[in-house]
Amino acid sequence: DATKLLRGAGYTTFDGGGPNETSHAGIGGAYAHVTAPLRRLADRFGTEICLAICGDQPVPDWVREALPSLPDIMSTSDHETAKADRSCIDAAEGWMLEGHIGESFDAVVLHVDDHGAEIMVVKPPVIARCKGEGLQEGAQITVRLDAIDVISFSYGGANPA
């Protein structure tokens, strides 16, 4: 459930009074952060607001004017970042599994959907797709690696052994 609860983020901007919604579903309480202004666009603006408040200065107009557009920009940015991260991880996982086609691995079923399941291979630590019948979330299973395509950084998947 944690992988579902903590996946993705939503952004709320406010100017003046506090926002209507301050809780973070994943932690079940009020939450805000301004931790990575070099990496996250919204944090750059949040930092400017904090600096203005701490310096007993007005928040710059350019910051206030940008606030309404930040949630959509951040959502798009987060999506692109996640795709890039996943591609890098897929490539590394593919390289780790290269040369192991036909071998069996211990795994745990993370999520089941209409197309099979997302699994975590225990050793080497790899997240992969698995096709099979009767897969249940949380189940410990043994899978066999059937195919892998390291060149395109995709895996052919695993099947219960």
Side-chain angles (χ1 to χ4, degrees), residues 108-125:
V108 176
V109 178
L110 301 177
H111 174 72
V112 177
D113 57 33
D114 294 337
H115 306 288
E118 180 181 57
I119 61 168
M120 182 183 80
V121 174
V122 177
K123 191 173 183 179

Side-chain angles (χ1 to χ4, degrees), residues 11 31-48 50 74:
Y11 301 94
Y31 177 81
H33 72 268
V34 181
T35 59
L38 295 177
R39 182 175 56 87
R40 292 168 47 96
L41 177 65
D43 292 354
R44 166 76 167 95
F45 289 87
T47 299
E48 289 295 331
C50 291
M74 288 305 302

Side-chain angles (χ1 to χ4, degrees), residues 49-66:
I49 293 167
C50 291
L51 289 171
I53 292 169
C54 288
D56 202 24
Q57 299 292 317
V59 174
D61 289 338
W62 64 269
V63 172
R64 282 200 150 107
E65 290 166 8

Side-chain angles (χ1 to χ4, degrees), residues 44 79 131 138:
R44 166 76 167 95
H79 179 72
K131 296 178 184 174

Side-chain angles (χ1 to χ4, degrees), residues 8-42:
Y11 301 94
T12 302
T13 61
F14 57 95
D15 192 355
N20 293 333
E21 181 63 50
T22 60
S23 66
H24 183 286
I27 64 169
Y31 177 81
H33 72 268
V34 181
T35 59
L38 295 177
R39 182 175 56 87
R40 292 168 47 96
L41 177 65

Side-chain angles (χ1 to χ4, degrees), residues 87-101 145 147-157:
S87 293
C88 291
I89 291 169
D90 286 349
E93 290 173 340
W95 294 325
M96 285 191 310
L97 291 172
E98 195 172 34
H100 294 281
I101 293 174
L145 180 62
I148 190 163
D149 182 355
V150 178
I151 300 300
S152 66
F153 306 129
S154 66
Y155 48 84

